[in-house]
C-alpha cells in the first residue's frame, strides 16, 4: 500500500545561492523589494556564464548586487585531489567543503558525451556491505547547492576545452532518497532551461530502495531515469548485502517499483552488482528473471562487475561468469546489459578515494 508523504518545507540550512531553485529565488527577490524577473538574469549569470562574484552581474543594479552579496555566497569547492585514468576517459575529484568535509565527484567520457556522477551526502548510513561509501557512516547531508556546485566545478574544467556536461548520474557517495528534498531542489535547478539545462532523460537517479520515497518520486512524474539497486533476489541474501532490506524487504520494494512503472509509464533499471560466489550463479540469474516476471515489472537489468574494495571482503566475478549471467537473463526474455567499466586505476569504487585520503572522516 502506498504511503503518503507529509508536505515538507526545505529548511534554510545555508547561504549558498546555488541552493535556491528558480522559484525560490523569485520569492526571495519579491520579499526583498526586487522584481522577480531578475531571477532569470541571476540564473544566467550563475549557470550559463558561471561567474564567481556577484559584482560580475553587471545588468543588475548595484543595490541588488549588494543585497545578494550580503545574503548569499557563490559556493566554491576546493579541489584536494584530482585523478585521471590512464585512458583519459575518467577523472575523479575529491572536493573539500567549507566545513572541512570532503566529497567525491567523477567525470566520465562516453561516446555520447560527458557524464558527471555526483555525491548526495557526506558518507552514508545505508551500510551496504560491499560499498566503500558507508565506511564511517553518515557525517551530514549535502545542501542542494553543494550538489549543484559539483556539476559547476566539473563544467568549469570542461569549459577550458570548450566541451559540456551532457548527463548527470546520482550514484556517488550517499543515498539520494535519504536526502530527498535537497535532491529534488537539485534536480529542478540542473533541469531548468536557465539553469544547467540538462534534459530530464539525461539524468539518472539511483536508490538502494527507500520504499516511501519511491512512491513520492513516482508522483513527481518526472522523465528522469530511475534505478533501484537490487543485488539479490531473496530477502536473506539481500539483507546480508544491503541492511536496508530489513526495513524494506522485497515484498514491499517490488510493489513500489510496479507503482512507479504504472504511474510514470517508464521503465526502471535494476542495478545488480555481481560479487564472486555470492550472487552470480546461473540459478540466481534465473531467479532474478522469475522475480521480474512474477511482479510483471517493466525492467532493464544493468549488471555491474563490482570493484574490489580493500576494506571489504568481496571479490570480483570472473569475466566468463558475467557474460553467462547476462546470457541467462536474455534467454529468459529479460533486457540486460553489462555496465562498461571505467577508472580501474584511479580508486574507481565510490568512496574509495575519500577513504584513502581522509581516514579521519571514515572512522
Amino acid at each position: 500500500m502506498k504511503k503518503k508523504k507529509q508536505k515538507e518545507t526545505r529548511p534554510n540550512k545555508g547561504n549558498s545561492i546555488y541552493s535556491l531553485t528558480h522559484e525560490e529565488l523569485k520569492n526571495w527577490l519579491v520579499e526583498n523589494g526586487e522584481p522577480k524577473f531578475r531571477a532569470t538574469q541571476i540564473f544566467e549569470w550563475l549557470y550559463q556564464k558561471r561567474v564567481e562574484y556577484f559584482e560580475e552581474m553587471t545588468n543588475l543594479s548595484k543595490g541588488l548586487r549588494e543585497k545578494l552579496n550580503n545574503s548569499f555566497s557563490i559556493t566554491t569547492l576546493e579541489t584536494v585531489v584530482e585523478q585521471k585514468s590512464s585512458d583519459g576517459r575518467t577523472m575523479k575529484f575529491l572536493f573539500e567543503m567549507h566545513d572541512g568535509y570532503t566529497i567525491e565527484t567523477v567525470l566520465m567520457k562516453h561516446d555520447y558525451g560527458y557524464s558527471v556522477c555526483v555525491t548526495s551526502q557526506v558518507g552514508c548510513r545505508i551500510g551496504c556491505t560491499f560499498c566503500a561509501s558507508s565506511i564511517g557512516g553518515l557525517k551530514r547531508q549535502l545542501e542542494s547547492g553543494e550538489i549543484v556546485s559539483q556539476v559547476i566545478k566539473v563544467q568549469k574544467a570542461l569549459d577550458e576545452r570548450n566541451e559540456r556536461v551532457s548527463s548527470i548520474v546520482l550514484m556517488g557517495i550517499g543515498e539520494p532518497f535519504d536526502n530527498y528534498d535537497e535532491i529534488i531542489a537539485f534536480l529542478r535547478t540542473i533541469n531548468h532551461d536557465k539553469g544547467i539545462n540538462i534534459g530530464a532523460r539525461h539524468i539518472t537517479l539511483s536508490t538502494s530502495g527507500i520504499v516511501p520515497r519511491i512512491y513520492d518520486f513516482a508522483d513527481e512524474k518526472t522523465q528522469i531515469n530511475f534505478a533501484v539497486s537490487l543485488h539479490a533476489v531473496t530477502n536473506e541474501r539481500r539483507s546480508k548485502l544491503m541492511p536496508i532490506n530489513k526495513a524494506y524487504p522485497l515484498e514491499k520494494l517490488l510493489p513500489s517499483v510496479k507503482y512507479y512503472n504504472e504511474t510514470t509509464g517508464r521503465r526502471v533499471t535494476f542495478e545488480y552488482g555481481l560479487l564472486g560466489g555470492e550472487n552470480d550463479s546461473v540459478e540466481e540469474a534465473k531467479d532474478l528473471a522469475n522475480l521480474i516476471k512474477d511482479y510483471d515489472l517493466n525492467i532493464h537489468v544493468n549488471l555491474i562487475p563490482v570493484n574490489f574494495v580493500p576494506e571489504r571482503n568481496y571479490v570480483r566475478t570472473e569475466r566468463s561468469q558475467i557474460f553467462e549471467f547476462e546470457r541467462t537473463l536474455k534467454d529468459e526474455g529479460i533486457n540486460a546489459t553489462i555496465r562498461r567499466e571505467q577508472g580501474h586505476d584511479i580508486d574507481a569504487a565510490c568512496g574509495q578515494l575519500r577513504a584513502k585520503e581522509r581516514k579521519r572522516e571514515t572512522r
Side-chain angles (χ1 to χ4, degrees), residues 2 214-215 218-219 254-264:
K2 182 187 171 188
I214 294 176
Y215 286 112
D219 290 341
L254 298 176
S256 73
V257 174
K258 179 68 173 176
Y259 179 84
Y260 186 91
N261 282 156
E262 293 175 340
T263 302
T264 66

Side-chain angles (χ1 to χ4, degrees), residues 37 83 94 120 132 276 328:
F37 76 84
Q83 295 181 335
L94 186 70
S120 57
T328 302

Side-chain angles (χ1 to χ4, degrees), residues 96-240:
E96 184 174 276
M97 296 179 291
H98 65 89
D99 56 5
Y101 280 124
T102 54
I103 53 177
E104 292 180 4
T105 309
V106 182
L107 173 66
M108 295 163 284
K109 185 176 183 180
H110 306 281
D111 294 340
Y112 56 80
Y114 287 94
S115 174
V116 176
C117 181
V118 298
T119 284
S120 57
Q121 297 175 303
V122 181
C124 182
R125 62 173 147 215
I126 300 301
C128 298
T129 59
F130 52 84
C131 181
S133 297
S134 60
I135 297 172
L138 177 68
K139 303 303 182 184
R140 72 168 174 87
Q141 306 283 12
L142 292 188
E143 298 174 33
S144 63
E146 292 172 318
I147 311 172
V148 170
S149 294
Q150 296 171 58
V151 182
I152 293 292
K153 190 80 170 177
V154 173
Q155 180 56 63
K156 285 184 176 180
L158 289 177
D159 285 342
E160 299 174 6
R161 315 177 205 169
N162 199 29
E163 294 179 300
R164 184 178 184 273
V165 172
S166 57
S167 60
I168 305 287
V169 290
L170 286 115
M171 295 183 183
I173 296 173
E175 162 54 62
F177 279 178
D178 193 30
N179 192 16
Y180 187 85
D181 293 322
E182 296 301 311
I183 288 299
I184 294 300
F186 163 74
L187 293 173
R188 287 176 179 151
T189 294
I190 63 169
N191 182 231
H192 197 282
D193 61 355
K194 298 300 182 182
I196 300 177
N197 195 22
I198 303 292
R201 295 200 177 196
H202 296 279
I203 303 168
T204 301
L205 184 151
S206 174
T207 180
S208 61
I210 299 180
V211 167
R213 295 308 200 187
I214 294 176
Y215 286 112
D216 294 335
F217 194 60
D219 290 341
E220 302 276 354
K221 292 185 173 64
T222 73
Q223 293 296 300
I224 290 168
N225 301 312
F226 182 52
V228 175
S229 295
L230 190 67
H231 304 313
V233 296
T234 66
N235 281 325
E236 180 181 8
R237 183 162 291 167
R238 192 166 189 267
S239 293
K240 175 187 174 184

Side-chain angles (χ1 to χ4, degrees), residues 68-106:
L68 290 168
N69 203 46
N70 290 334
S71 300
F72 304 106
S73 63
I74 299 181
T75 305
T76 56
L77 304 173
E78 181 181 347
T79 303
V80 179
V81 178
E82 181 178 314
Q83 295 181 335
K84 191 171 185 179
S85 64
S86 56
D87 62 5
R89 298 181 68 89
T90 305
M91 293 181 69
K92 193 162 194 175
F93 301 87
L94 186 70
F95 295 129
E96 184 174 276
M97 296 179 291
H98 65 89
D99 56 5
Y101 280 124
T102 54
I103 53 177
E104 292 180 4
T105 309
V106 182

Side-chain angles (χ1 to χ4, degrees), residues 265-328:
R266 305 209 70 214
R267 184 175 67 177
V268 173
T269 294
F270 276 166
E271 294 173 323
Y272 195 95
L274 292 164
L275 300 158
E278 287 284 338
N279 63 352
D280 58 353
S281 68
V282 168
E283 291 73 20
E284 199 89 9
K286 290 180 179 179
D287 288 343
L288 174 56
N290 289 333
L291 199 66
I292 293 169
K293 293 174 187 177
D294 288 346
Y295 280 87
D296 191 27
L297 302 175
N298 182 9
I299 296 293
H300 168 81
V301 178
N302 189 17
L303 299 173
I304 306 168
V306 174
N307 289 302
F308 172 72
V309 177
E311 296 86 352
R312 305 303 195 185
N313 296 318
Y314 298 110
V315 297
R316 291 171 62 86
T317 294
E318 295 290 337
R319 187 174 178 82
S320 59
Q321 184 65 23
I322 294 171
F323 287 117
E324 184 65 22
F325 199 100
E326 180 193 30
R327 273 194 301 271
T328 302

